[in-house]
């Protein structure tokens, strides 16, 4: 069987044997195969992750201001290499009455996506998390819901290359988007 890398049709990039899936990929010119095995020892012994209960205080209205032109910053990634991260704007929001901003990437479908850290990052939680605010309405408004923050794939497996937060996307660590600190106990 001949397989192509993942940019091609899914039918050419994936092969399965029972529940096990293999995905062929090319990243930065290097070919690889991801092996998704639901019967692996790591998956059998995985007991879940600790999660806090939903708290409506962490779901706040926001307004995204797009940048006049897309910006690119170089950020470290989980594999230790720096790569470009495109930024398309900043949602502003005010948890506990304090206005903050996050720099977001705008995905191909137009939805915002952010990489951020907070005061717990690397101590009592993962080093950083991903957040996808709700789609913008006609007036540029969105909801920034930190209850919906996700652990990046690299929190579960070493072979994922996840970008670290861009400068300024560290809530409660001295600044966030130049707007000051957030003294909340966690996000």
């Amino acid at each position: 069987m001949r397989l192509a890398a993942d940019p091609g049709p899914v039918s050419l990039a994936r092969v399965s044997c029972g529940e096990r899936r293999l995905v062929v990929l090319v990243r930065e010119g290097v070919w690889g195969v991801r092996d998704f095995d639901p019967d692996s020892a790591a998956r059998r012994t995985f007991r879940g992750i600790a999660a806090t209960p939903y708290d409506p205080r962490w779901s706040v209205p926001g307004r995204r201001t797009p940048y006049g032109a897309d910006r690119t910053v170089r950020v470290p990634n989980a594999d230790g290499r720096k790569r470009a991260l495109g930024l398309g704007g900043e949602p502003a929001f005010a948890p506990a009455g304090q206005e903050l901003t996050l720099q977001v990437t705008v995905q191909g479908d137009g939805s915002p996506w952010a990489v951020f850290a907070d005061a717990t990052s690397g101590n009592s939680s993962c080093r950083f998390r991903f957040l996808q605010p709700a789609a913008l309405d006609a007036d540029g408004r969105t909801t920034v819901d930190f209850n919906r923050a996700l652990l990046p794939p690299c929190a579960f497996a070493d072979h994922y290359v996840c970008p670290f937060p861009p400068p300024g996307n560290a809530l409660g660590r001295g600044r966030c988007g130049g707007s000051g600190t957030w003294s909340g106990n966690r996000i």
Side-chain angles (χ1 to χ4, degrees):
M1 174 181 283
R2 182 178 173 95
L3 298 174
D6 60 352
V10 171
S11 62
L12 295 178
R14 301 169 191 268
V15 65
S16 63
C17 179
E19 294 292 313
R20 193 172 194 165
R21 283 187 314 144
L22 302 176
V23 177
V24 179
L25 57 114
V26 178
R27 297 291 185 267
E28 299 170 336
V30 177
W31 286 76
V33 177
R34 285 195 178 141
D35 181 359
F36 295 90
D37 182 3
D39 197 38
S40 72
R43 287 192 73 175
R44 284 193 318 270
T45 59
F46 181 69
R47 298 294 174 240
I49 58 173
T52 56
Y54 183 87
D55 185 337
R57 294 178 302 157
W58 302 122
S59 180
V60 293
R63 176 181 223 66
R64 185 168 66 91
T65 303
Y67 296 138
D70 287 343
R71 299 177 186 176
T72 301
V73 295
R74 292 188 62 78
V75 297
N77 283 246
D79 66 351
R81 294 181 62 191
K82 282 191 169 188
R83 292 181 180 81
L85 179 66
L87 301 172
E90 297 180 0
F93 50 97
Q98 180 179 8
E99 185 166 304
L100 301 172
T101 60
L102 281 175
Q103 299 174 85
V104 297
T105 294
V106 179
Q107 300 182 104
D109 65 359
S111 62
W113 174 80
V115 183
F116 75 96
D118 67 18
T120 69
S121 295
N123 296 316
S124 61
S125 69
C126 186
R127 295 177 289 180
F128 57 94
R129 289 182 284 298
F130 292 165
L131 181 67
Q132 187 167 1
L136 301 174
D137 70 12
D139 295 322
R141 294 178 302 213
T142 186
T143 298
V144 181
D145 189 349
F146 288 100
N147 292 290
R148 305 287 179 226
L150 302 171
L151 290 172
C154 59
F156 300 99
D158 293 334
H159 62 271
Y160 287 98
V161 179
C162 300
F164 288 4
N169 277 14
L171 303 168
R173 290 190 160 185
R175 77 183 212 80
C176 178
S179 304
T181 61
W182 186 2
S183 59
N185 61 356
R186 64 181 290 156
I187 297 175

